[in-house]
Amino acid sequence: MLNKLGQYRYLIIAVILALVLLGLSGYFFASQQSEPVYLSKIDQLMYDRNNRSPKYVLTLPDYRPQKKARPADPAPAEETENGQETVKLPAKEKTLQDVLSQVPNLQSLPDTTPTQQLKFITLNEELTQSKDNLMLPKIDKYGRKPWSEYGKAVETAPTFYKVAIVIKGQGFDPVAAEKLNKALPSEISISYNPYAAEIGTKILSSRQYGHETYVDLLLSSKDFLKSDSGPLSMSLTINQQEAVARLYKTLSTGAPVGGVVINEGVADEDNYELLQRLLMELKKLGMLMIDATHGNGIEQIEVNGLARAKADYVIEYMYNREKLKEILHQAEDTALRKGQVLLVIEPKPVIVDEVYKWIKTFSPQATTYEDAKTATPEKPLALVPVSNLVVE
């Protein structure tokens, strides 16, 4: 038996090798059949060699031809009263230029000729005193006060109602400030933020165009735990002496100012005595105080003999044109009811733009007595400097 196996061993080995080769061939062809068919080399890059999950994900643009939009149906015809037909044209699509033309831009306002001249453009020595290395206002020996001497009294027709506008917070954008000096009527008053750089030079520029000038007085922020109004504000943590020192620094601009515009902030029983001391200092210096706060905390502080005015409307943080127009319409009603109205506004382009358009709608005042007798003005509103609304 062993002899027979030895005789056939080569045959057996050959058969075994043949079976091994056959098995290997079958496995190779089977693996080839299981590989995916790639549509392109880019598809092949998405997979590893061993048929694993995607390694890269590529998003290619869709180059399929777009279907052409079907022309819009012609607008339906309408019949007019005389029987003729008119066709409504489709609304024109807005271009970028159309959109930009609606964006408020102060530089688009036209320059105007000054409508008034001030008595003093620079500081008057008789109305100025030096104190603690600061140039401060004072009442002169004749009793003349800076708020009236640095202002301008204008005449209005008896049948017209006074409108005073103060732009507060000026000075941070010198280009915009200079444009407003040239574009707005001289009767609009301007108040500068005490932190503005070169504030004196900017105030002098405004006065050259006839604008009464003031400076913002900053109260402690109502959100004082998170925000700070700065080293010139009336913080709740300072005493009266420090508050007066900050007031002096605010007023010492090197240029004429008629008074202060008190901005929104804390004005209640927590700092009543401090604010009362400040108002007494303003009276002593012959200054005008304009209350531009939203509450009545300042209004409740009585200081006899202080020249003061309370803003009827304070327009700030507002960008909606329709809302602005509504407020200006309310201001008209207030002027007709009270005989005058005071608005304090921020120099935001959209606010200034709407106010500019509004004052252009005021009816012109008659220049002669005969014209005044026969005139029937549609909107009898007269623009005046803010000092014209003050009676001590």
Side-chain angles (χ1 to χ4, degrees):
M1 184 67 177
L2 294 174
N3 292 333
K4 288 183 178 181
L5 289 176
Q7 293 176 0
Y8 294 106
R9 66 172 181 265
Y10 294 107
L11 179 60
I12 293 172
I13 293 174
V15 170
I16 292 172
L17 291 174
L19 293 173
V20 172
L21 290 175
L22 182 62
L24 292 174
S25 299
Y27 174 80
F28 174 77
F29 286 110
S31 63
Q32 288 293 320
Q33 290 295 328
S34 65
E35 290 290 335
V37 179
Y38 300 113
L39 298 178
S40 66
K41 290 184 177 180
I42 294 178
D43 288 340
Q44 191 173 1
L45 286 174
M46 297 170 61
Y47 294 88
D48 288 332
R49 293 181 179 179
N50 295 326
N51 195 21
R52 297 176 181 172
S53 60
K55 186 176 181 180
Y56 307 99
V57 177
L58 303 180
T59 303
L60 300 178
D62 188 359
Y63 289 105
R64 290 178 295 179
Q66 300 293 328
K67 292 183 179 180
K68 293 184 178 180
R70 183 174 65 86
D73 295 332
E78 288 187 352
E79 186 174 338
T80 60
E81 293 181 358
N82 57 12
Q84 296 181 351
E85 289 187 347
T86 60
V87 178
K88 287 185 177 180
L89 296 177
K92 182 182 177 182
E93 292 186 1
K94 288 187 177 181
T95 64
L96 178 60
Q97 189 64 28
D98 295 332
V99 175
L100 292 178
S101 64
Q102 299 299 318
V103 177
N105 180 13
L106 296 180
Q107 298 304 319
S108 64
L109 298 178
D111 293 346
T112 59
T113 302
T115 50
Q116 71 177 22
Q117 291 182 348
L118 298 174
K119 182 178 180 181
F120 297 108
I121 302 298
T122 59
L123 286 174
N124 179 268
E125 292 184 359
E126 296 181 353
L127 298 170
T128 306
Q129 61 179 319
S130 177
K131 188 173 184 179
D132 299 331
N133 296 321
L134 299 174
M135 299 299 291
L136 299 176
K138 74 170 185 177
I139 302 174
D140 71 6
K141 61 182 179 180
Y142 302 106
R144 293 179 299 186
K145 299 179 180 180
W147 77 263
S148 59
E149 294 299 305
Y150 289 149
K152 174 73 174 182
V154 299
E155 295 183 358
T156 58
T159 56
F160 274 67
Y161 304 90
K162 297 178 180 180
V163 176
I165 299 173
V166 181
I167 300 179
K168 70 169 184 172
Q170 272 284 51
F172 291 117
D173 186 344
V175 176
E178 187 66 16
K179 183 60 182 180
L180 293 184
N181 288 338
K182 299 177 180 179
L184 298 179
S186 301
E187 290 76 17
I188 292 182
S189 307
I190 298 178
S191 181
Y192 282 85
N193 189 291
Y195 298 124
E198 300 179 353
I199 184 173
T201 301
K202 294 171 182 176
I203 289 175
L204 293 176
S205 178
S206 294
R207 298 188 66 81
Q208 288 175 350
Y209 290 96
H211 301 284
E212 288 187 355
T213 50
Y214 299 86
V215 64
D216 294 347
L217 181 62
L218 307 178
L219 298 183
S220 175
S221 171
K222 289 186 175 181
D223 192 17
F224 56 86
L225 294 178
K226 295 182 179 179
S227 61
D228 184 12
S229 302
L232 293 179
S233 69
M234 302 305 143
S235 171
L236 296 177
T237 61
I238 61 176
N239 56 33
Q240 293 187 19
Q241 184 178 0
E242 174 61 22
V244 171
R246 294 186 179 191
L247 172 64
Y248 287 171
K249 291 179 181 178
T250 297
L251 293 173
S252 182
T253 63
V257 292
V260 300
V261 175
I262 301 183
N263 283 233
E264 177 66 5
V266 178
D268 51 30
E269 63 277 2
D270 291 334
N271 58 349
Y272 178 91
E273 294 182 357
L274 183 146
L275 294 177
Q276 186 180 44
R277 172 67 186 280
L278 292 178
L279 297 191
M280 293 177 63
E281 286 293 328
L282 290 172
K283 171 191 171 182
K284 186 172 67 174
L285 297 174
M287 294 276 94
L288 166 63
M289 185 275 291
I290 302 169
D291 181 4
T293 62
H294 297 286
N296 59 357
I298 300 294
E299 196 173 11
Q300 292 178 349
I301 303 175
E302 295 185 6
V303 176
N304 294 330
L306 171 65
R308 62 195 299 172
K310 171 68 174 177
D312 297 288
Y313 299 90
V314 180
I315 306 178
E316 53 189 350
Y317 309 117
M318 189 174 295
Y319 303 93
N320 186 299
R321 287 185 179 272
E322 294 305 317
K323 183 64 176 177
L324 285 168
K325 292 176 182 177
E326 180 182 342
I327 293 177
L328 296 177
H329 182 71
Q330 293 173 6
E332 290 182 18
D333 294 339
T334 300
L336 297 177
R337 185 179 72 256
K338 295 173 52 180
Q340 62 185 39
V341 66
L342 170 58
L343 296 89
V344 176
I345 69 174
E346 281 190 327
K348 289 183 171 60
V350 64
I351 298 177
V352 174
D353 187 52
E354 284 300 322
V355 170
Y356 179 83
K357 294 176 182 177
W358 178 55
I359 61 180
K360 288 296 182 182
T361 66
F362 294 1
S363 299
Q365 299 184 66
T367 56
T368 65
Y369 176 70
E370 293 299 325
D371 291 340
K373 288 195 301 182
T374 58
T376 54
E378 180 180 355
K379 191 177 290 188
L381 300 175
L383 193 63
V384 299
V386 66
S387 64
N388 287 228
L389 301 188
V390 177
V391 177
E392 290 182 326

